[in-house]
């Protein structure tokens, strides 16, 4: 979505989590801090939450916030 901003939109749930996880991880470049913008999310569930947790875990493992 822009410099150091990852924007998610639409449904973030069981139907989309398998695609959203690697798509987000591919955009989170090492060496930068990131903001995840969830304003465009229309629906979500526990699978969507798991995607967010994994994005955060990977960023932290890379030394990012």
């Amino acid at each position: 979505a822009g410099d150091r901003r990852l924007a998610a939109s639409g449904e973030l749930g069981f139907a989309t989590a398998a695609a959203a996880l690697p798509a987000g991880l591919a955009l989170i470049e090492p060496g930068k801090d990131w903001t995840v913008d969830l304003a465009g999310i229309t629906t979500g569930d526990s699978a969507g939450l798991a995607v967010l947790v994994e994005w955060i875990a990977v960023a932290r493992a890379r030394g990012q916030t």
Side-chain angles (χ1 to χ4, degrees):
D3 190 36
R4 294 182 270 181
R5 185 172 149 261
L6 177 64
S9 62
E11 179 184 346
L12 187 56
F14 287 107
T16 60
L21 178 61
L25 292 177
L27 297 172
I28 300 174
E29 299 174 24
K32 294 182 179 181
D33 293 335
W34 289 86
T35 298
V36 178
D37 181 353
L38 302 176
I41 296 295
T42 56
T43 60
D45 58 28
S46 59
L49 180 59
V51 168
L52 296 174
V53 169
E54 185 64 14
W55 286 345
I56 292 168
V58 169
R60 285 187 177 167
R62 294 177 179 172
Q64 300 163 295
T65 58

